[in-house]
Every structure is written in structure tokens, then in C-alpha cells.
Amino acid sequence: MQRDFTYVDDIVEGLIRIMQHSATPNPDWRSAAPDPATSSAPYRIHNIGGNSPVQLNRLIEVLEEALGRKAIRNMMPLQPGDVPATFADVSSLEEATGFKPKIPVEIGVPRFVEWYREFYRV
């Protein structure tokens, strides 16, 4: 399975950047033929995600390395509602702000583990 993981610094950067680019209404938007990607209202919805699916086993390996211990894995088949892969399409965020999240799990997970251990003194 693959999932899209996003480091918190990338989320914050994306939010700061999008706040600096206020949405405006699309003057060409028509209710008779609506474009779901735009609106007559001044708002937009953007994905802020890693935009790069990671194998779940790779994430576990990175966690194991950062924690210095092996995970106990209980491999299961796909569960109802599971999908094999997901990732965030950040093209509208990149188009609006020029920003695309960039911190990979190999950097983000160890940073998070370090922060967590310092914050909780473990």
C-alpha cells in the first residue's frame, strides 16, 4: 500500500503561502455550466500534501531507523474501504503560490521523532 505523508513544516508553509494569495471570484463562472474547480464566491480549496506516495513498508522502515527498534508487523489483507494508493494533487496550490511540499519521510520522520523525544523527554 502507498500513502502520501506530509511533514508539518510543509503544511505550515503551504498555509502561509496561500494566505498571501487571497482567492477571487471567477467572473466567467456560470451556474448553468458550473466549473467545479472555480466559483463565483471568493474561495478556493487546495490540497497541501506530499504529492509523492510512499510504500507503507518504507515508512515503517524509516520509523524503525529513527526509533532504533523493530516494529511488530501484523500484515493484513486490504480492509473494506481501503485503497491501494493515495496521494495529494497539489497542482492548484503550486499554481497559486509556486509552492509544493518537499520534505520526504526520510527527513520528516526523524525530525518528528527528535522533536517528540525532546518535548516529552523520552
Side-chain angles (χ1 to χ4, degrees), residues 5-17 48-50 93 99-104 111:
F5 299 96
T6 313
Y7 189 64
V8 65
D9 288 2
D10 276 341
I11 298 292
V12 172
E13 178 74 17
L15 290 171
I16 289 169
R17 294 231 190 164
I48 303 176
L93 174 71
F99 176 71
K100 179 178 175 181
K102 59 189 171 293
I103 299 174
R111 280 187 191 172

Side-chain angles (χ1 to χ4, degrees), residues 8 11 22 37 42 49 57 59 62 65 68 83-84 91 94 100 110 114 122:
V8 65
I11 298 292
S22 298
N57 282 329
L59 176 71
V62 173
E65 291 169 17
V83 293
S91 57
E94 190 172 11
K100 179 178 175 181
E114 180 182 353
V122 292

Side-chain angles (χ1 to χ4, degrees), residues 26 28-29 34-41 43-44:
N26 177 355
D28 298 325
W29 193 89
D35 174 358
T38 68
S39 171
S40 62
Y43 73 89
R44 296 294 177 267

Side-chain angles (χ1 to χ4, degrees), residues 54-111:
V54 174
Q55 292 285 339
L56 290 182
N57 282 329
R58 177 64 185 141
L59 176 71
I60 294 167
E61 290 168 1
V62 173
L63 274 167
E64 289 173 334
E65 291 169 17
L67 295 170
R69 60 189 298 183
K70 289 288 186 186
I72 299 169
R73 299 181 191 208
N74 181 9
M75 307 303 278
M76 303 286 292
L78 282 177
Q79 302 297 300
D82 275 350
V83 293
T86 64
F87 75 98
D89 176 358
V90 297
S91 57
S92 70
L93 174 71
E94 190 172 11
E95 183 180 314
T97 67
F99 176 71
K100 179 178 175 181
K102 59 189 171 293
I103 299 174
V105 296
E106 290 81 7
I107 293 173
V109 168
R111 280 187 191 172

